[in-house]
Amino acid sequence: MSNTKLTDSYWQNRYEKGEIGWDMGQLSPPLKAYFDQLTDKKARILIPGCGNAHEAAYLHEQGFTNVFLLDWAKAPLKAFHEQHPDFNQNHLLHINFFEFNTAASARFDLIIEQTFFCAINPSLRPAYVQQCAKLLKPTGKLVGLLFNIPLYEDHPPYGGQKEEYEKLFSTQFHIHTMETCYNSISPRAGNELFLKLLAK
Ligand SMILES: C[S@@+](CC[C@H](N)C(=O)[O-])C[C@H]1O[C@@H](n2cnc3c(N)ncnc32)[C@H](O)[C@@H]1O
């Protein structure tokens, strides 16, 4: 079976057709619990492959002022802007994550992972890890959720398992936490890992 070609227009089309089965329509409870214990409202936070960005809507509502959304599809960024006109438009980045570059002074404290990693071709996983490490400050963290089940091999969501992730991420990060979530939404219960990785 050939691999689906995951271009910018592939993703844009998915939004235009409303084929966005990955979208939970709400902030993921494990991420809400994590956000609720953050105190630095000025932290620079990047959400790559943000889609409809329920995480960002919540952070914005809570007064976080340096949240950046990045997506290769324009549709969700446009929709987010329409729904949150007071969110800084300069923080909506329409670009391929792998081509995103930023000055050292503009690196991030936190990158949030929420069904972006499973949407890219698995051959790009080492590049994802390197790119996250490059975009973070030396004290930065990569925090989020990863599926811990095989899923599909020829189209997203691509799955994986903890052992593979440990090997992959430990090239660039110290693994602080990589544990099955206790508070996933029920369709994902038992199949999601919460991760908190510290830049090396
Ligand atoms: C499965 S969706 C997840 C969206 C959102 N995080 C959520 O959980 O609802 C994957 C998202 O990643 C975006 N995406 C895929 N490849 C990308 C890339 N190379 N650079 C930036 N965004 C990308 C897609 O446009 C899509 O919005």
Side-chain angles (χ1 to χ4, degrees):
M1 233 184 295
S2 69
N3 260 324
T4 304
K5 244 186 154 226
L6 300 171
T7 58
D8 50 350
S9 44
Y10 167 85
W11 290 106
Q12 175 70 14
N13 279 335
R14 295 286 301 251
Y15 285 98
E16 285 173 8
K17 291 186 188 151
E19 292 172 357
I20 54 167
W22 58 77
D23 189 325
M24 306 189 330
Q26 64 171 92
L27 169 65
S28 170
L31 285 177
K32 179 178 183 301
Y34 178 72
F35 293 156
D36 285 347
Q37 45 87 54
L38 295 178
T39 50
D40 180 6
K41 302 258 166 151
K42 292 207 166 82
R44 289 177 63 82
I45 303 176
L46 175 69
I47 309 181
C50 62
N52 285 324
H54 306 292
E55 304 79 28
Y58 183 72
L59 289 168
H60 180 54
E61 196 182 288
Q62 298 302 308
F64 287 82
T65 51
N66 277 317
V67 180
F68 291 75
L69 303 186
L70 184 153
D71 207 288
W72 213 4
K74 199 156 197 170
L77 296 172
K78 188 167 172 276
F80 190 89
H81 174 59
E82 284 162 9
Q83 285 157 25
H84 306 278
D86 57 335
F87 185 91
N88 188 340
Q89 215 180 332
N90 296 327
H91 291 190
L92 301 176
L93 311 172
H94 177 220
I95 189 170
N96 180 349
F97 175 67
F98 296 98
E99 291 170 4
F100 178 48
N101 213 339
T102 192
S105 58
R107 289 195 187 132
F108 297 91
D109 297 292
L110 186 58
I111 295 180
I112 299 298
E113 168 53 46
Q114 163 68 37
T115 50
F116 173 45
F117 179 87
C118 67
I120 59 171
N121 192 297
S123 65
L124 289 173
R125 287 180 174 183
Y128 169 98
V129 175
Q130 280 205 357
Q131 176 67 335
C132 286
K134 199 178 98 182
L135 293 173
L136 284 168
K137 292 179 184 173
T139 52
K141 299 183 192 75
L142 171 58
V143 171
L145 303 165
L146 292 180
F147 285 120
N148 192 22
I149 37 170
L151 295 169
Y152 304 102
E153 287 184 2
D154 60 335
H155 65 88
Y158 300 100
Q161 54 189 22
K162 190 175 174 186
E163 292 69 30
E164 171 200 342
Y165 301 151
E166 280 171 342
K167 234 189 237 165
L168 187 66
F169 284 100
S170 61
T171 59
Q172 303 284 338
F173 292 91
H174 293 293
I175 299 183
H176 176 283
T177 311
M178 195 181 278
E179 297 300 334
T180 304
C181 293
Y182 64 87
N183 48 0
S184 297
I185 56 164
S186 54
R188 296 184 188 180
N191 294 330
E192 275 188 322
L193 297 169
F194 181 79
L195 69 149
K196 180 169 165 186
L197 310 178
L198 315 180
K200 266 187 181 171

